[in-house]
Amino acid sequence: MIRGVGSFLKELLGEIAGEVVLTVIACLAMAGVALAFVWGWERSPLITGGIGSALLAFLGYGGWELFRPAKPGRRQRLAGMTATTFAAAALFFAYTWSCNCS
């Protein structure tokens, strides 16, 4: 019985530590993105807007590739990379949105 309680506590502490690490990483990454945007906007709004638009187009293409019906032999490296990047960005955004990083 004591081993069961010890195992439960070990698992609980591991999950809490993992959650804290993920929350800190998500909040720091979001702060880094915001600081990079502000710094870029102060240097050159045109270049910052262009890079932001290119990133949104890349993520949009990834979302389109991820959600359109699959046909055999159609997905190339770029399509796979954009779909993976879109999925990772969506998960990151959803996690950051729910972690209350204020």
Side-chain angles (χ1 to χ4, degrees), residues 59-86:
L59 290 174
Y61 177 66
W64 180 61
E65 281 291 330
L66 189 63
F67 292 117
R68 74 179 187 168
K71 291 183 181 173
R74 182 175 66 190
R75 191 169 268 188
Q76 290 104 13
R77 286 185 207 160
L78 179 62
M81 184 175 61
T82 56
T84 302
T85 305
F86 175 80

Side-chain angles (χ1 to χ4, degrees), residues 29-97:
M30 189 58 73
V33 167
L35 286 175
F37 179 78
V38 169
W39 179 81
W41 193 263
E42 288 175 353
R43 300 282 186 230
S44 173
L46 183 63
I47 293 175
T48 303
I51 291 173
S53 299
L55 182 62
L56 285 176
F58 183 76
L59 290 174
Y61 177 66
W64 180 61
E65 281 291 330
L66 189 63
F67 292 117
R68 74 179 187 168
K71 291 183 181 173
R74 182 175 66 190
R75 191 169 268 188
Q76 290 104 13
R77 286 185 207 160
L78 179 62
M81 184 175 61
T82 56
T84 302
T85 305
F86 175 80
L91 288 172
F92 173 74
F93 180 75
Y95 188 81
T96 304
W97 187 271

